[in-house]
Amino acid sequence: MANLDQSGPKTLDGLVHCAQNATSAARLLACGLAYYQGLGIDLVSYHGDSPGAPAILYQFDSSGTDGPQWHSQFLDIEKLRESPVEALARQQVMPIYWSDVARTVRLTTAEDHYMKGLMRRYPNDGISLRVHGPGRDSAVVGLGFAAKQARLSPEALYKLLSAAQIAHLRYCALAESQSPRDFGLSPREVEVLEWIATGKSNGVIAEILGISPHTVDTIVRRIFSKLDVNDRTTAAIRGLGAGLLRRPKEGAP
């Protein structure tokens, strides 16, 4: 959960400045969310292509009792494999509108079910686009509109694509500049953090690793302490920024 930064960037030039001066993945995230919120976007998702990278969704709530905030949650990576939006976004240079997917390709039954569910949840439509980084550090970014609107101009689409690309490249630079050793996580703590980032509960992690739930609870508390965070999503964000979540997960269930 993140409070709205009223002083966040409002222009593409402002985003460039904010991203360049961000010294952590969490601060970079705040820059991007503030920029998008100012453009009438209330949903942002990020799904990295690198093995072990999580899929995270951020949704803006302007009517919360604690004031305007972005709420975060992990997305089901297995479910995302049924998403024709992501597949199309990876094949195109320009963003794809969610409502155009069914008219663009012939959908399987599972894909059609996925798209109908997506449009029910987000009837104001949105776009998905691919950003590129060094090596395999690409990702698909989804942007949902807060209200119904006319189709964006090519220039506006290019600006959204540019903004996502700027933020992604800055994230890659931050990840390269920080050693995983900086946080002092043990190999077991890194392993648990990787499973947290895939959305697994402590109970499921205990089953996967063959240890007790109490042991996992203890490890998670140590991870939070070392990363100086209070929740699982922020831990994953910080782990991403430190390059802790880039190792392949072999045999992931």
Side-chain angles (χ1 to χ4, degrees):
M1 185 182 298
N3 292 321
L4 175 64
D5 184 356
Q6 299 287 353
S7 63
K10 306 301 182 185
T11 66
L12 192 58
D13 283 345
L15 177 64
V16 170
H17 179 77
C18 191
Q20 180 61 35
N21 288 280
T23 56
S24 69
R27 178 55 192 157
L28 178 61
L29 172 66
C31 293
L33 293 181
Y35 176 75
Y36 288 131
Q37 196 274 329
L39 296 177
I41 291 168
D42 67 352
L43 179 147
V44 179
S45 65
Y46 176 92
H47 182 199
D49 290 345
S50 299
I56 304 178
L57 180 144
Y58 307 91
Q59 192 151 18
F60 184 72
D61 180 9
S62 61
S63 60
T65 56
D66 296 326
Q69 292 185 343
W70 286 89
H71 297 269
S72 60
Q73 67 182 75
F74 290 108
L75 295 175
D76 186 337
I77 294 178
E78 293 296 325
K79 188 69 175 176
L80 283 174
R81 290 174 181 165
E82 300 174 359
S83 169
V85 181
E86 293 219 345
L88 280 172
R90 289 186 172 92
Q91 297 169 10
Q92 299 189 176
V93 174
M94 292 300 292
I96 176 86
Y97 276 91
W98 300 342
S99 58
D100 284 347
V101 171
R103 296 191 294 270
T104 303
V105 295
R106 179 175 295 178
L107 303 178
T108 66
T109 300
E111 289 172 339
D112 183 64
H113 179 75
Y114 181 95
M115 289 308 304
K116 287 178 179 176
L118 178 67
M119 297 311 298
R120 280 195 302 270
R121 293 191 301 274
Y122 311 116
N124 295 326
D125 210 354
I127 60 174
S128 288
L129 54 92
R130 191 179 191 187
V131 291
H132 301 270
R136 298 177 64 187
D137 281 332
S138 298
V140 173
V141 174
L143 304 173
F145 303 129
K148 286 283 189 181
Q149 58 179 286
R151 290 295 177 102
L152 298 174
S153 67
E155 180 182 4
L157 286 174
Y158 268 116
K159 284 184 176 180
L160 288 176
L161 179 60
S162 298
Q165 184 66 62
I166 288 165
H168 182 67
L169 288 175
R170 181 55 181 158
Y171 156 68
C172 292
L174 286 172
E176 289 177 357
S177 68
Q178 188 164 37
S179 167
R181 293 190 300 272
D182 291 345
F183 291 105
L185 267 64
S186 69
R188 176 63 96 182
E189 289 165 347
V190 171
E191 186 175 27
V192 169
L193 179 60
E194 288 175 333
W195 287 117
I196 288 174
T198 64
K200 304 299 184 187
S201 67
N202 286 7
V204 172
I205 295 172
E207 292 180 9
I208 293 171
L209 300 181
I211 57 180
S212 73
H214 174 73
T215 299
V216 175
D217 291 344
T218 300
I219 293 172
V220 170
R221 286 196 296 271
R222 289 205 304 262
I223 291 171
F224 284 8
S225 177
K226 290 181 178 182
L227 296 182
D228 190 26
V229 300
N230 297 310
D231 63 87
R232 300 166 81 84
T233 307
T234 308
I237 294 168
R238 188 147 296 175
L240 277 169
L244 290 166
L245 303 178
R246 292 165 179 258
R247 296 183 305 180
K249 299 298 297 179
E250 299 294 342

